Amino acid sequence: MAFTRPPFRPMPALRTAVLAAAAVAGVASANDNVRPFVGASVLYNSNVLGLRDRDAALALTGEDDLGDTSRTFSGGIDLDWKLSRQTLSARIAASTTKYSRLSALDHDGKDLLAKWGWEFGDYVSGNLGASYVESLSTFTDFHQYARSLRTQRRDFFDAAWRLHPSWRVTGQVARRDLDYRLESQSGADRIETQYQAGIDYVSRAGNSVGVLWRRGKNEYQTVRAGSPLRDFRQQDMLLRAEWRAAGKTHLTVSAGRSQRQYDSLSNKNYSGASARVEADWAVSGKLLLNAAIWREIGSVEDLLVNHSVNRGMSFSPQWLVSEKVTLRGEVRYERRRFLTVIGGSDDFGDRVRNASVSVVYQPYRALSLETTAFYGSKDADSALTTSYRRQGIAFNVRHTF
């Protein structure tokens, strides 16, 4: 079965965003608090759907070609206002993506954000906001030739109170709604609610150590027969620390225990250690390094699996070659062990590897040109999940008015 690429027609939302950006460009030149932008990118991916081989592509799409090229056009506005001690920020952006061959994946995206950074007196501050993101689901765990759009709505409130020069109390409340447009994925629709509170001792140098308590709840909107996706509650009790040295090194550590309890699958309850260590090091004024290691409970976009225990590491260097050229890289490895699977088997997992290198050229402050080469792979322990290899290259341009 062959697919004919339809003529390109920018979506109305993108057209509106671009026209709005052009309309306020004059305002932005006089006031940097309003920053309209437009962008475009071309991406080639050698294995868009993350399939095992050409035979799988032929069965799924009617063609034995795994790769395709996509074009994305975007536009929007970033806004920031400072009103005394209060900070108001917003983002309105839209995009449209078209594939040369796999036209069933053509989609439109939206990215909306509104946030109030509030501050009362000298000791109490926080954030109140909401966001909305509409995008295509990733093909790390989802491998169907279909437009699987996912919308994420998030509302959040957090606060920090410096009750003493050496003590800080923090708290947060957040809710996230995830909805999948594709009927076969609608079983993963859910509402995630999270509460957290913490207290830290803060030194004169700004270093801190403390404890964090976090409790969350997942409520699935559709429960399908035979599916392991069930409502659950999770609780984390963590020790956390933050350390800065000479303005060049920043280290954050959190470690403790996580417990997950299911409302109707008590035999799948989980309790285990959780930890994350992340470090930033400014080797010089031009070389920046970031590294992280972790062991955490993760979510999976798969109706066979409820969650996974992830162990991983990442390394991201950044080199400021000159005032106009920046070189960036990233290497990431994660070992996932899946839990709560149909049929009761949870003794399998996979290893996900990703690497990329980017060159960013900024001829002047408002214009950015970026080229990225990437590689990704997934090696599965079982036929219940798919192994694949992919590589590609992307070219991006963005102009801020």
Side-chain angles (χ1 to χ4, degrees):
M1 178 180 178
F3 293 92
T4 303
R5 186 183 185 282
F8 173 74
R9 295 185 178 90
M11 68 170 185
L14 174 60
R15 190 184 303 118
T16 302
V18 173
L19 292 175
V24 299
V27 177
S29 61
N31 185 353
D32 285 341
N33 292 336
V34 182
R35 301 181 303 280
F37 64 87
V38 292
S41 67
V42 178
L43 182 149
Y44 172 75
N45 188 330
S46 67
N47 191 351
V48 176
L49 301 176
L51 301 177
R52 189 182 304 275
D53 51 34
R54 289 181 177 274
D55 290 340
L58 181 63
L60 198 59
T61 69
E63 300 180 14
D64 64 357
D65 192 349
L66 295 168
D68 200 6
T69 299
S70 63
R71 299 180 299 162
T72 299
F73 297 86
S74 59
I77 307 171
D78 287 323
L79 308 101
D80 291 288
W81 294 281
K82 184 75 173 178
L83 304 174
S84 184
R85 293 188 173 189
Q86 315 306 310
T87 302
L88 301 176
S89 59
R91 178 182 179 87
I92 305 171
S95 65
T96 185
T97 298
K98 301 291 182 180
Y99 285 81
S100 297
R101 189 175 55 83
L102 302 174
S103 58
L105 302 181
D106 293 352
H107 65 280
D108 302 329
K110 302 180 183 67
D111 186 356
L112 308 175
L113 170 68
K115 185 176 72 171
W116 169 29
W118 57 271
E119 187 174 337
F120 295 144
D122 297 326
Y123 307 110
V124 183
S125 61
N127 297 281
L128 173 66
S131 65
Y132 175 91
V133 177
E134 184 176 311
S135 61
L136 194 68
S137 297
T138 66
F139 292 98
T140 300
D141 300 302
F142 174 77
H143 306 286
Q144 296 181 28
Y145 179 37
R147 186 187 297 110
S148 178
L149 288 177
R150 180 180 70 175
T151 61
Q152 300 182 68
R153 300 173 180 84
R154 185 171 184 266
D155 306 301
F156 58 92
F157 172 80
D158 63 71
W161 175 30
R162 197 67 175 263
L163 57 87
H164 183 275
S166 297
W167 292 96
R168 177 181 60 210
V169 176
T170 60
Q172 183 186 72
V173 179
R175 168 175 164 149
R176 186 172 71 148
D177 293 38
L178 286 91
D179 296 297
Y180 293 83
R181 299 281 184 84
L182 196 64
E183 175 62 25
S184 62
Q185 291 292 101
S186 62
D189 294 351
R190 61 190 182 272
I191 298 174
E192 302 174 353
T193 308
Q194 187 178 95
Y195 309 89
Q196 70 178 44
I199 184 168
D200 301 285
Y201 171 79
V202 184
S203 71
R204 292 183 178 181
N207 301 322
S208 64
V209 60
V211 295
L212 175 68
W213 171 82
R214 182 166 55 218
R215 186 174 181 83
K217 182 179 181 181
N218 268 32
E219 298 175 280
Y220 287 92
Q221 303 306 290
T222 303
V223 178
R224 296 185 174 182
S227 171
L229 302 183
R230 295 292 189 274
D231 296 353
F232 66 83
R233 293 172 174 80
Q234 180 171 323
Q235 182 169 284
D236 306 291
M237 182 61 72
L238 304 170
L239 294 174
R240 62 181 180 181
E242 187 172 2
W243 177 67
R244 294 179 174 85
K248 292 186 176 182
T249 304
H250 182 204
L251 179 69
T252 59
V253 179
S254 64
R257 195 163 190 83
S258 298
Q259 294 180 324
R260 180 172 290 193
Q261 295 181 322
Y262 292 89
D263 292 352
S264 58
L265 289 171
S266 59
N267 61 316
K268 297 296 184 179
N269 291 346
Y270 171 81
S271 179
S274 296
R276 173 176 282 268
V277 180
E278 186 166 354
D280 294 289
W281 180 27
V283 181
S284 65
K286 294 189 174 183
L287 181 59
L288 308 174
L289 303 178
N290 172 271
I293 57 174
W294 61 87
R295 184 188 192 277
E296 299 171 331
I297 300 180
S299 297
V300 182
E301 285 188 343
D302 193 316
L303 296 183
L304 298 178
V305 178
N306 197 314
H307 69 277
S308 62
V309 177
N310 304 336
R311 300 176 179 86
M313 62 184 68
S314 66
F315 176 67
S316 305
Q318 177 175 291
W319 178 28
L320 307 178
V321 180
S322 68
E323 291 184 356
K324 297 182 178 181
V325 179
T326 302
L327 181 64
R328 297 172 182 157
E330 182 178 21
V331 179
R332 180 185 175 95
Y333 169 83
E334 190 166 60
R335 178 72 169 91
R336 305 187 300 176
R337 173 175 170 261
F338 298 120
L339 303 172
T340 314
V341 183
I342 289 177
S345 171
D346 59 9
D347 188 20
F348 79 101
D350 59 27
R351 294 167 297 282
V352 181
R353 299 175 178 87
N354 290 286
S356 66
V357 59
S358 302
V359 179
V360 182
Y361 175 55
Q362 200 167 7
Y364 55 93
R365 191 179 62 146
L367 179 63
S368 176
L369 307 172
E370 182 174 355
T371 301
T372 301
F374 63 87
Y375 169 83
S377 69
K378 184 171 74 169
D379 296 305
D381 296 342
S382 166
L384 290 174
T385 182
T386 302
S387 298
Y388 64 78
R389 299 284 187 276
R390 60 162 60 114
Q391 53 270 328
I393 190 167
F395 303 96
N396 302 277
V397 58
R398 175 184 165 114
H399 191 279
T400 304
F401 297 94

